[in-house]
Amino acid sequence: MKYTILLLASFFLLSCHDSPKISKEKNPPKTPKFGIVIHGGAGVIKKENMTDSLQKAYEEKLEEAISVGHKILEDGGTALEAVQKTINVMENSPLFNSGKGAVLNADGIAELDASVMDGKTKNAGAISGVQHIKNPIDLAYKVMNESDHVMLSASGAEEFAKLHDIEFVENSYFITENRKKALESSKAKEQGVSANEFYLSNEKYGTVGCAALDQDGNLAAGTSTGGMTNKKFGRIGDSPIIGAGTYANNKTCAISATGHGEFFIRNVVAHDISAMMEYQGISLEQAAKRVIQQKLTDLGGTGGIVGIDHKGRVVMEFNTPGMFRATKNVKGETTIKMYKD
Amino acid sequence: MKYTILLLASFFLLSCHDSPKISKEKNPPKTPKFGIVIHGGAGVIKKENMTDSLQKAYEEKLEEAISVGHKILEDGGTALEAVQKTINVMENSPLFNSGKGAVLNADGIAELDASVMDGKTKNAGAISGVQHIKNPIDLAYKVMNESDHVMLSASGAEEFAKLHDIEFVENSYFITENRKKALESSKAKEQGVSANEFYLSNEKYGTVGCAALDQDGNLAAGTSTGGMTNKKFGRIGDSPIIGAGTYANNKTCAISATGHGEFFIRNVVAHDISAMMEYQGISLEQAAKRVIQQKLTDLGGTGGIVGIDHKGRVVMEFNTPGMFRATKNVKGETTIKMYKD
């Protein structure tokens, strides 16, 4: 009997040893809880391939993008709005593979995909293969908010856009000299001609994305991309696929992915991280590490994700040499990185 | 000390109480283990809406389809082959919303989606919005086996098909009188005119799918559909979305879904069932019930799934009045159903 009591007492102590801390923090100072994290693509991003001025340009644009979303959240705006406006900054910059500066398909045309998910309602919107939408993420929002559908594609998505106050541009608006060179290198390689390795090594990467938590406890995630250089046959990658490139659920986390899309689709990466948290009770950090460093890596996939959980903890996990990424916390402290550490 | 020994002994007994059974079955008879399950769409399928001859036609076609796949598995063929050939039978029948007999989009054109996943390699193939491919599932297989991509779309997917020995047909091949009437009813409803309720209630349903386990222990799943009657704007549903409409993983299960696709995408239904099994250690039956009867239903989504786990146990779960479905076990016993029970 004595042993039984001792055993019960031990269990009781083990399960309650945090109680005194809890009672001490009964009335903690009311710091608003929110957070935001972004990526501008993962890939062979190495210091030796980067000039100082290019590095500075990336840092400044990442800082600008994260600050736009952070300000919205600080002012009490929604995670959904923060994600959209943050992604707009990156879509409008030629530095990233989304909107202006998107990579070119085999026909030399920019063909854009995007998606968004609302963690509160689990509503979502996605578009694939549009060629004349200045900010593809804006169209994904319209699909989510103003249609019965989740995913619209190509010219059909553009028809829908015409009915919904979306800015159109010529395809030439998106095209930069760098992306033309990348396409040339990719085609040269296909034909067995020696090609520029710098462009080749990055042809699968550069997507932008954002995940945010607002002061009401709502999560959202969005992703926008030009896909893969020299893509053919109407290829759709993971960015517009809910569950693969984008996922948000207030119970767990919000995730945006970047990398070799085919592997992210096969691993259902964004949803898998959320499912591990929900069903195994592990942290976002643990789940992201397992999915990216084990499951994705085991299958031969490369890339990364950014994510934020319902408590505002952020993660930026990748298995490539680098990933453009930034986060800004409640105190306004910014972290901007591009290499492994 | 006595108590500790008693406790340890209990643990030992608890963990080992199955041992005698195991030793008895050291040399069990070698029954080959395989299985197959199919659906022909979920929706408002009620006895009062069905004539005897139509019911017989469905039963015969489901029997034919499941027997084709079952024979392949019985003869030692792969789950992948069984899934493909079984789906072909349903694609070639005007009874189902896939291949011949597919529903029509707002322009009166059949626009087809399909996907397949291999549970052994987690490789996958998907196509969306093709208009001239006789058997869309065959093209999904080609994408999986003969491209670096997972998902190809529309005319791009057809360009790829031209390079890969795929049968083309005129779009008129797919179109049936019933589907024309369904489109008329849907358009009438849009314009506030009274419409045929029978056609309306089924406009979102009719997809076909198959999940199978072969004698080598490999799982596969595939799905093929015409999508939603009167669909616009290049709408893509869940059928070609890996994780939503189709998923297979040798560790857990193979799933094919049917229903109101948007909700299946938002819930990442097929992968969610697999994730629950993997991370919570629950059965396929339990996981399918929770995802369809709780999570999907709570969000307002309607439809169902068929699935098979790595031990050959099948599930046919839906929250609609009916689902065309069939399974055939190792002994050759067939179950064919369409209503709730």
Side-chain angles (χ1 to χ4, degrees), chain A residues 22-340:
Chain A
I22 290 165
S23 64
K24 262 187 212 161
E25 288 173 8
K26 229 173 190 171
N27 296 306
K30 280 197 177 167
T31 313
K33 191 178 68 183
F34 63 90
I36 184 163
V37 60
I38 61 175
H39 67 76
V44 188
I45 300 158
K46 289 180 175 172
K47 202 161 175 60
E48 56 263 38
N49 296 333
M50 191 73 74
T51 62
D52 285 350
S53 65
L54 189 58
Q55 176 162 338
K56 194 156 174 276
Y58 274 112
E59 284 168 349
E60 284 175 0
K61 195 50 75 175
L62 290 166
E63 165 84 46
E64 183 190 336
I66 197 98
S67 298
V68 164
H70 187 270
K71 180 78 171 65
I72 290 167
L73 297 169
E74 196 173 44
D75 292 349
T78 65
L80 279 167
E81 193 193 346
V83 166
Q84 182 178 13
K85 302 298 184 204
T86 299
I87 288 177
N88 285 161
V89 173
M90 292 188 281
E91 282 178 334
N92 294 343
S93 160
L95 290 169
F96 306 100
N97 174 18
S98 70
K100 189 169 188 66
V103 301
L104 306 179
N105 70 12
D107 298 324
I109 292 168
E111 210 174 44
L112 311 160
D113 306 330
S115 67
V116 58
M117 189 159 182
D118 175 357
K120 184 184 177 188
T121 60
K122 284 165 99 180
N123 204 351
I127 49 141
S128 69
V130 297
Q131 300 184 354
H132 307 95
I133 306 298
K134 188 184 174 207
N135 291 105
I137 194 74
D138 293 357
L139 185 52
Y141 272 73
K142 289 283 181 189
V143 173
M144 175 171 74
N145 295 326
E146 296 180 33
S147 86
D148 292 334
H149 301 309
V150 168
M151 190 168 181
L152 303 182
S153 61
S155 59
E158 295 199 1
E159 264 179 67
F160 174 82
K162 281 181 193 149
L163 307 173
H164 290 91
D165 190 29
I166 285 285
E167 191 174 349
F168 277 70
V169 289
E170 291 299 315
N171 197 265
S172 58
Y173 160 82
F174 301 112
I175 300 176
T176 63
E177 279 309 307
N178 265 344
R179 300 309 189 185
K180 281 190 199 167
K181 282 183 200 153
L183 179 59
E184 278 164 26
S185 300
S186 180
K187 291 198 166 190
K189 192 192 168 196
E190 260 182 351
Q191 285 155 13
V193 183
S194 80
N196 185 317
E197 278 303 320
F198 172 73
Y199 292 119
L200 283 182
S201 60
N202 283 288
E203 66 182 4
K204 296 188 188 74
Y205 314 106
T207 301
V208 309
C210 178
L213 170 73
D214 64 30
Q215 296 191 36
D216 291 331
N218 293 319
L219 288 165
T223 309
S224 182
T225 191
M228 235 165 126
T229 299
N230 200 17
K231 64 184 178 183
K232 298 177 188 74
F233 309 128
R235 176 256 189 189
I236 297 177
D238 65 315
S239 298
I241 306 292
I242 298 301
T246 300
Y247 187 74
N249 183 343
N250 273 5
K251 279 175 79 173
T252 52
C253 62
I255 302 285
S256 170
T258 173
H260 194 156
E262 279 69 12
F263 291 90
F264 283 71
I265 295 177
R266 292 164 58 194
N267 273 317
V268 200
V269 164
H271 181 260
D272 202 27
I273 292 170
S274 168
M276 275 192 184
M277 290 177 68
E278 184 172 356
Y279 302 137
Q280 293 192 311
I282 64 175
S283 69
L284 170 61
E285 196 189 342
Q286 289 172 309
K289 213 174 269 295
R290 275 193 217 167
V291 171
I292 300 299
Q293 307 301 348
Q294 287 172 31
K295 296 178 84 167
L296 183 73
T297 305
D298 287 352
L299 209 64
T302 50
I305 59 101
V306 296
I308 185 164
D309 73 7
H310 56 291
K311 293 193 172 173
R313 289 170 295 215
V314 302
V315 69
M316 302 182 282
E317 192 72 41
F318 55 100
N319 68 0
T320 42
M323 179 168 79
F324 296 111
R325 60 201 188 277
T327 183
K328 193 166 190 164
N329 66 17
V330 171
K331 295 176 199 156
E333 295 159 346
T334 309
T335 306
I336 297 176
K337 289 187 175 181
M338 45 193 75
Y339 313 117
K340 203 121 208 177

Side-chain angles (χ1 to χ4, degrees), chain A residues 1 3 7 117 121-124 128 148-153 156-157 159-160 163 228 232-236 241-243 247 260 262 265-268 271-272 275-276 278-280 295 299, chain B residues 1 3 7 117 121-124 128 148-153 156-157 159-160 163 228 232-236 241-243 247 260 262 265-268 271-272 275-276 278-280 295 299:
Chain A
M1 191 61 177
Y3 292 96
L7 206 69
M117 189 159 182
T121 60
K122 284 165 99 180
N123 204 351
S128 69
D148 292 334
H149 301 309
V150 168
M151 190 168 181
L152 303 182
S153 61
E159 264 179 67
F160 174 82
L163 307 173
M228 235 165 126
K232 298 177 188 74
F233 309 128
R235 176 256 189 189
I236 297 177
I241 306 292
I242 298 301
Y247 187 74
H260 194 156
E262 279 69 12
I265 295 177
R266 292 164 58 194
N267 273 317
V268 200
H271 181 260
D272 202 27
M276 275 192 184
E278 184 172 356
Y279 302 137
Q280 293 192 311
K295 296 178 84 167
L299 209 64
Chain B
M1 192 60 176
Y3 292 95
L7 206 69
M117 188 159 182
T121 60
K122 283 164 100 180
N123 205 351
S128 68
D148 292 333
H149 301 309
V150 167
M151 189 169 182
L152 303 181
S153 60
E159 263 179 69
F160 174 82
L163 307 174
M228 236 165 123
K232 298 177 189 73
F233 309 129
R235 177 255 188 189
I236 297 177
I241 306 292
I242 298 302
Y247 187 75
H260 193 155
E262 279 69 12
I265 295 177
R266 291 165 58 193
N267 273 318
V268 200
H271 181 260
D272 202 27
M276 274 191 186
E278 185 172 356
Y279 302 137
Q280 294 192 311
K295 296 179 85 167
L299 209 65

